[in-house]
Amino acid sequence: MSHQITKPAKSVTSAAAKDVAPALDFGHAWDYAPAPEGTDHVKIQPRYELFIGGKWRAPKSGKYFQTISPSTEQVLSEVAEGNAADVDLAVKAARQAYDKVWSKMKGAERAKYIFRISRAIQEKARELAIVESMDGGKPIKESRDVDVPLAAAHFFYHGGWADKLDYAFHGRRHRPLGVAGQVIPWNFPLLMAAWKLAPALACGNTVVLKPAETTPLTALLLAQIIEEAELPPGVVNIVTGAGETGAAVVAHPDINKIAFTGSTAVGKRIQRAIAGTNKRLTLELGGKAANIVFADAPIDQAVEGIINGIYFNQGHVCCAGSRLLVEESIHDVIVRKLKDRLQTLRVGDPLDKNTDVGAINSKMQLDRIKALVAAGEEEGAERFSAPCALPQKGFWFPPTFFTGASQSSRIAREEIFGPVLTVLTFRTPDEALEKANNTMYGLSAGIWTDKGAKIFWMATRLQAGVVWGNTFNKFDPSSPFGGYKESGFGREGGRQGLSAYVELE
Amino acid sequence: MASKKHVATETRTHEDEVSDTYSDNGALARVLGRGAEQRRVTVNKAYKMFVGGAFVRSESGRYFQVKGAGEGLGVDPETVNVPRGSRKDARDAVLAAKNALAGWSGRTAFNRGQILYRLAEVMESRKEELRLSLVRSGDSDAQATAEVERAIDRAVYYAGFCDKVHALVASHNPVAGPHFGFSIPEPMGVVAVLAPERPALLGLVSTLLPVLVGGNTAVLVASAADPRTAVVFCECLATSDLPGGVANVLLGQAKELAPALAKHREVVAMDAWSESSELRATLEREGADSVKRVKTHAPLEGAAWHDERVGQGLGWIERFLETKTVWHPVGV
């Protein structure tokens, strides 16, 4: 399989770049020779069926859809499109596995199956990382160093909970909910599958999982791992498809719990759809996180944090630091440093080990990013995009930020879900807080300052589920993650995340 | 005293006998020179809703009537007019709750505990009034006494919980890296409560107090079956040092007020206890547009509200707490 290689960045010629040329002229100094991860070891089947009741089954729909590499537009495989009948089969298999096996099994035994999954992910880490980068477009250094190790860690962490649940709820009696229907997004395909499956299984539930339609492959490789780990048939069922398949999962009457990660708009539709049923629900939805930089912050660290906050995973991150709130006195310094730093970001082949920013996940997402960026320009904000050469094929967007945007502009309010940052300013901590909280979202926030008291003052007042002080985009299975306000409800990870999968008496 | 009473008996008149029947202290009435035709007219209470720390009528001017179930119980006449809250009243109450939020959530947990304990003290001192109110709405003496006592004890229970919640639900997160991470509970914000119809007092106390423990403020729709007891309870709230607006109590129809609260964007969460599965579904649906944390319940059986293992607990508090996770690097 061949892959587009990052073209060496030409010496900068754009007007925007000329502004910063006196500060730093990178020229070819940052060009690296291509260092692509080899794909010869990876076997992607030409076609994948649905994983239901421990077996690979052709879909009742008879339909398949193609999954492509967003960096090359090459077709990687074709994948079964599950319909309501397929979802029904999967739920039946999950119900049977729940009633006959999984709910009766001792926690200590469930634990060992979950540990097996964790170990297998570690054993197949390289393969999983490569396929993740091929199917989703994210840089291999991220799939290799973040997605896959964290996925393994999530299974390992929750495996350990399975026989210790009596401690988790302060002595309250607990029982599993039954069959969980889980619908996950395309930005962290394998990791989201792990976030969803691991606590559900640890607490004794069985699962029907619906991966995102643009990134089904690593979930299907995970299904193979689950098969090889010899989990009892039906404990985990994976039904691929698009929105309609997900809707069939949500609507199925014999599902006890829905867990969804995705957009706020779809989350609201799900919440409305299951009103009046007894289905339990957790939602992990969108965000428009404020990353707040005070004048007393360690500036260079903060700049790295801003870059990581918004350009990590092409900005396809619900908790991305997409609104930079910078204290007015250091605005110009920060903007200059951001311009410099953007020119050193290597955009291109996701499989190249030096790539910082990969491909946009899909044409649809690229169109959305372009539309919002156009809106930003129309609303009079000043745009700066990294002057990098983009590959001809595939879906690409250069790392970009806007200055001079108003708090009410679309780029300052709407989730762009791409490598686009909006820079706003503030004068006092109160104003920073006011602006940071002035959003319907409340997933995450960042604070950069050398003053400990200020961090805690801000952290306790920010309406956000995760607050990073002098860091950003850190995740761990022991660390509860989830939103305030319209970023959803429920937590994933930690002791707190377990309660989404048990009924307490 | 005994000799005085004896003297008084010797000079009894018919008027005095009538006066004795109606007065707590016939002798005193006589000293004041009152007769039967001057029997003291009682001052009836105007029952009002409790919003922003004040007792208010409905802005709509509407009312509904509550009939007394017993004779000679306290000062109420047979029929009492109670305000029927409107959707506008609900919005006003949400505003009051929103304005009180920073103050209440900003208090120390210890201080919140002190205030809720003060509430228990005030309830204890008004025990007879609460009891009489329940009897007026149809409870037996024994039922009413048991309910009031349990409600007071529940207030003590939650008062003592305010500064324990963190120890039970917060965590230090042992993340795999050079970071210090912890997760703490925080109040969600303004929480709407649809209290169960019965038990009118214990149901109200059991659903309201756990919401307040964590630092939320509340807008509660009280039982329409016995709104008077809710008002007597509000008089306890009003004299307990609870800041105005922290607990707001509306009277009226659940099906009118609760959906308005479920739709309201400033209401972050809702706890709804209703017999009607249709109303419960409506509230869940109306809450979706603001991703509201809507918890609906079919009411518990009467005895379950009294059960310490069922009608109270950490879970009641935890339902209306958010978890905030904070990370910071560790290093020199």
Side-chain angles (χ1 to χ4, degrees):
Chain A
M1 209 152 270
S2 80
H3 289 277
Q4 198 83 29
I5 304 304
T6 319
K7 288 183 181 152
K10 296 271 157 44
S11 56
V12 289
T13 53
S14 78
K18 268 179 192 156
D19 292 346
V20 295
L24 282 172
D25 185 0
F26 292 100
H28 293 282
W30 289 85
D31 295 350
Y32 280 24
E37 183 74 49
T39 57
D40 50 320
H41 176 66
V42 172
K43 287 184 289 287
I44 296 176
Q45 294 171 199
R47 169 183 277 196
Y48 286 90
E49 309 291 356
L50 306 171
F51 185 65
I52 294 175
K55 293 199 172 65
W56 296 91
R57 292 170 193 265
K60 296 271 179 204
S61 69
K63 288 186 196 162
Y64 293 83
F65 61 97
Q66 292 181 334
T67 184
I68 63 166
S69 164
S71 58
T72 61
E73 297 178 58
Q74 266 182 336
V75 175
L76 297 174
S77 181
E78 62 173 21
V79 177
E81 185 180 320
N83 64 12
D86 295 307
V87 169
D88 186 53
L89 271 182
V91 173
K92 286 198 169 92
R95 175 62 59 192
Q96 199 175 15
Y98 177 77
D99 288 341
K100 298 211 167 136
V101 186
W102 201 245
S103 64
K104 293 181 177 161
M105 192 182 287
K106 281 175 61 182
E109 302 302 311
R110 289 202 307 271
K112 287 184 276 184
Y113 282 115
I114 300 167
F115 283 128
R116 279 186 189 175
I117 298 172
S118 172
R119 272 293 191 247
I121 290 173
Q122 290 175 320
E123 287 158 10
K124 296 186 171 188
R126 181 161 180 267
E127 178 184 14
L128 288 164
I130 292 167
V131 174
E132 196 73 303
S133 283
M134 290 169 73
D135 201 21
K138 65 172 65 200
I140 186 74
K141 72 173 184 189
E142 289 176 11
S143 46
R144 182 194 64 200
D145 298 345
V146 180
D147 294 60
V148 175
L150 269 178
H154 264 270
F155 281 107
F156 195 86
Y157 176 83
H158 286 95
W161 267 124
D163 56 353
K164 300 166 195 71
L165 296 172
D166 289 345
Y167 294 107
F169 309 108
H170 307 100
R172 294 168 73 190
R173 288 215 310 223
H174 54 85
R175 57 177 177 77
L177 298 171
V179 177
Q182 306 181 319
V183 180
I184 58 170
W186 44 259
N187 56 342
F188 296 91
L190 178 68
L191 183 56
M192 288 300 111
W195 278 32
K196 293 281 180 284
L197 288 171
L201 299 180
C203 292
N205 304 277
T206 58
V207 176
V208 176
L209 178 84
K210 206 289 280 180
E213 67 268 31
T214 62
T215 55
L217 291 183
T218 45
L220 293 163
L221 296 187
L222 181 62
Q224 288 174 343
I225 286 174
I226 285 164
E227 189 181 21
E228 288 161 11
E230 297 174 350
L231 257 75
V235 170
V236 175
N237 305 276
I238 296 187
V239 181
T240 43
E244 277 181 33
T245 314
V249 172
V250 170
H252 197 287
D254 199 31
I255 279 184
N256 304 97
K257 192 236 154 60
I258 302 290
F260 171 75
T261 295
S263 73
T264 290
V266 175
K268 288 178 178 180
R269 284 217 295 277
I270 291 173
Q271 191 176 352
R272 204 170 294 125
I274 67 167
T277 69
N278 284 322
K279 287 173 190 164
R280 292 262 304 264
L281 177 67
T282 44
L283 297 172
E284 205 272 82
L285 308 177
K288 190 76 185 175
N291 202 357
I292 304 163
V293 184
F294 288 96
D296 56 13
I299 298 292
D300 288 330
Q301 277 180 47
V303 168
E304 285 310 299
I306 295 163
I307 296 286
N308 170 50
I310 184 63
Y311 304 119
F312 172 65
N313 200 30
Q314 296 75 245
H316 300 329
V317 184
C318 46
C319 54
S322 51
R323 281 186 301 154
L324 177 62
L325 287 169
V326 51
E327 193 162 343
E328 206 173 80
S329 60
I330 54 164
H331 172 266
D332 294 351
V333 179
I334 292 276
V335 166
R336 186 177 60 76
K337 283 177 181 276
L338 280 177
K339 283 180 178 175
D340 288 348
R341 185 66 178 89
L342 247 61
Q343 293 174 71
T344 67
L345 289 176
R346 283 174 290 270
V347 183
D349 182 8
L351 287 180
D352 192 305
K353 281 169 268 195
N354 292 321
T355 293
D356 296 307
V357 179
I360 300 303
N361 185 266
S362 65
K363 170 88 167 50
M364 205 169 107
Q365 187 57 26
L366 180 60
D367 290 343
R368 177 172 164 74
I369 294 167
K370 283 179 172 169
L372 275 162
V373 166
E377 289 177 316
E378 277 164 30
E379 285 178 317
E382 190 183 330
R383 170 182 170 180
F384 178 85
S385 288
C388 55
L390 297 175
Q392 296 302 306
K393 280 209 158 182
F395 316 125
W396 304 92
F397 200 85
T400 294
F401 67 84
F402 279 99
T403 52
S406 74
Q407 174 85 4
S408 59
S409 62
R410 288 185 68 195
I411 51 168
R413 304 201 66 81
E414 294 179 32
E415 184 176 41
I416 299 173
F417 223 65
V420 181
L421 174 71
T422 303
V423 184
L424 303 160
T425 61
F426 68 89
R427 287 184 181 176
T428 65
D430 280 320
E431 189 191 350
L433 201 59
E434 172 85 30
K435 284 183 168 169
N437 286 338
N438 184 8
T439 168
M440 67 176 186
Y441 296 115
L443 191 51
S444 67
I447 311 161
W448 297 83
T449 169
D450 256 356
K451 292 212 165 56
K454 203 187 275 181
I455 289 181
F456 286 114
W457 188 89
M458 292 291 293
T460 51
R461 285 163 178 78
L462 284 164
Q463 291 162 357
V466 185
V467 177
W468 288 293
N470 291 321
T471 184
F472 211 94
N473 275 344
K474 293 288 182 290
F475 310 96
D476 193 275
S478 72
S479 189
F481 183 94
Y484 280 37
K485 302 199 280 190
E486 294 192 14
S487 288
F489 45 74
R491 291 293 177 271
E492 292 178 298
R495 185 195 66 81
Q496 292 88 336
L498 299 172
S499 59
Y501 289 98
V502 292
E503 186 73 49
L504 294 172
E505 290 165 9
Chain B
M1 284 301 290
S3 69
K4 259 190 183 174
K5 191 172 184 182
H6 178 68
V7 171
T9 311
E10 282 178 354
T11 58
R12 286 187 77 84
T13 63
H14 173 67
E15 280 179 2
D16 285 335
E17 279 172 9
V18 173
S19 176
D20 266 353
T21 310
Y22 290 97
S23 161
D24 287 345
N25 190 332
L28 182 60
R30 237 176 354 269
V31 169
L32 296 173
R34 282 204 188 134
E37 73 281 4
Q38 290 155 324
R39 171 191 160 196
R40 182 175 179 277
V41 176
T42 54
V43 179
N44 293 339
K45 177 153 71 185
Y47 285 89
K48 296 186 190 177
M49 306 189 293
F50 186 58
V51 175
F55 288 91
V56 298
R57 295 197 177 82
S58 170
E59 60 77 37
S60 67
R62 299 178 307 173
Y63 65 94
F64 63 110
Q65 292 194 317
V66 186
K67 306 275 187 199
E71 298 249 336
L73 289 167
V75 296
D76 276 359
E78 185 60 24
T79 301
V80 164
N81 298 321
V82 175
R84 183 181 147 193
S86 65
R87 285 174 299 177
K88 171 77 167 87
D89 291 319
R91 291 198 296 275
D92 291 346
V94 171
L95 189 62
K98 179 89 183 164
N99 289 338
L101 183 61
W104 182 243
S105 61
R107 282 173 190 254
T108 63
F110 170 72
N111 186 239
R112 284 200 294 273
Q114 292 262 298
I115 290 172
L116 293 187
Y117 187 77
R118 174 76 184 149
L119 171 66
E121 290 175 342
V122 174
M123 288 172 74
E124 186 80 42
S125 74
R126 291 183 182 241
K127 193 171 152 184
E128 187 55 17
E129 201 182 343
L130 289 163
R131 197 186 66 77
L132 273 179
S133 182
L134 288 174
V135 171
R136 278 202 297 266
S137 80
D139 283 1
S140 72
D141 271 336
Q143 278 175 327
T145 303
E147 185 177 336
V148 173
E149 289 178 350
R150 180 63 74 199
I152 298 169
D153 291 352
R154 195 144 287 167
V156 174
Y157 172 83
Y158 282 117
F161 226 137
C162 292
D163 53 3
K164 317 295 183 294
V165 177
H166 285 66
L168 294 171
V169 306
S171 57
H172 166 254
N173 309 321
V175 298
H179 288 86
F180 187 78
F182 57 91
S183 295
I184 49 170
E186 288 200 339
M188 285 181 167
V190 176
V191 178
V193 179
L194 175 58
E197 291 277 289
R198 303 275 183 193
L201 177 64
L202 185 57
L204 194 169
V205 169
S206 301
T207 53
L208 174 67
L209 297 192
V211 169
L212 303 186
V213 164
N216 301 290
T217 57
V219 176
L220 179 142
V221 179
S223 162
D226 181 10
R228 290 187 296 192
T229 302
V231 175
V232 178
F233 174 74
C234 287
E235 289 160 11
C236 300
L237 289 175
T239 50
S240 67
D241 298 338
L242 193 77
V246 171
N248 304 277
V249 176
L250 299 171
L251 308 173
Q253 296 184 354
K255 65 174 195 282
E256 181 181 8
L257 297 173
L261 290 166
K263 250 188 264 191
H264 200 299
R265 300 193 80 82
E266 296 289 348
V267 175
V268 177
M270 180 168 219
D271 199 29
W273 297 79
S274 172
E275 296 282 2
S276 161
S277 58
E278 197 184 331
L279 179 60
R280 296 200 302 267
T282 300
L283 299 178
E284 290 174 13
R285 197 162 42 246
E286 296 289 6
D289 199 47
S290 50
V291 197
K292 205 177 303 304
R293 290 82 169 123
V294 182
K295 323 276 178 189
T296 64
H297 325 257
L300 300 172
E301 296 293 319
W305 289 100
H306 287 259
D307 187 338
E308 289 163 4
R309 290 158 307 173
V310 180
Q312 63 184 31
L314 178 61
W316 292 68
I317 303 169
E318 221 177 351
R319 281 209 288 273
F320 300 105
L321 296 175
E322 293 282 3
T323 296
K324 176 177 279 175
T325 297
V326 181
W327 292 67
H328 197 277
V330 174
V332 288

